Amino acid sequence: MGWSKDRTTIRGSVLLALLLAVGLILGGCAQEDPAIEGAPSGEERGEEAGDDHDDEMVDFGEPGDPAAADRTIEIDMLDALRFEPDAVDVQVGETVTFVLTNTGQIVHEFLIGDEHYQQDHAQEMTEMDDGMEHEELPNGLDVDPGETAELTWTFTTEGELLYGCHEPGHYEGGMVGTITVSS
């Protein structure tokens, strides 16, 4: 009887060792592989280990100088979870000052970014504790009820960007607009 119990223990130990080895191998494969052709490394994307998107370099533009703005675009932020207008057109290289007026009774956010950036920010917002404020971003800001704020941005890449509000439920409720950046 002792032999049977020992064989079961040995089999269990061997199985556990095999599972651990497979886990280590698969875990190693999940690491960023610099040999993958065309895949930028974290460093090339402006990231360091543990960074979230707040610290990343963005490839869709940069903060602009308000004194050098080519034009001003006024946007109203509504409690009906809408921006007016909800679409704007800009040119590559253009510096725009957005004049953001919160006409409502609740705080709204204005954040410029591509779809991936907006999704990352939304995820970060859902992971934050209630009542916790996020730091101001160069491509976004919060506007209190009845207040007006300005954000100046220089658009450097052709394509489609979004501006969105990530206060709880707002983006999902449709508080998003489109920026078409053309050459």
Side-chain angles (χ1 to χ4, degrees), residues 12-119:
S13 296
V14 169
L15 181 59
L16 180 60
L18 284 172
L19 288 173
L20 287 172
V22 169
L24 289 172
I25 291 168
L26 291 176
C29 292
Q31 300 296 322
E32 183 172 274
D33 185 0
I36 296 174
E37 192 172 327
S41 69
E43 187 175 296
E44 290 171 327
R45 292 187 308 263
E47 302 171 12
E48 292 180 18
D51 280 356
D52 59 18
H53 80 262
D54 291 350
D55 298 323
E56 286 181 16
M57 306 266 307
V58 295
D59 62 358
F60 49 81
E62 59 193 31
D65 177 7
D70 298 304
R71 68 179 164 136
T72 299
I73 297 176
E74 295 183 10
I75 297 181
D76 288 335
M77 308 165 96
L78 311 173
D79 283 351
L81 304 185
R82 297 289 181 261
F83 290 107
E84 285 186 5
D86 64 357
V88 297
D89 296 315
V90 301
Q91 298 293 310
V92 172
E94 187 174 12
T95 299
V96 175
T97 295
F98 292 95
V99 178
L100 309 159
T101 302
N102 183 344
T103 62
Q105 302 299 310
I106 54 179
V107 173
H108 291 296
E109 177 185 47
F110 181 85
L111 181 76
I112 298 171
D114 60 19
E115 188 172 342
H116 177 73
Y117 190 93
Q118 297 285 347
Q119 290 172 352

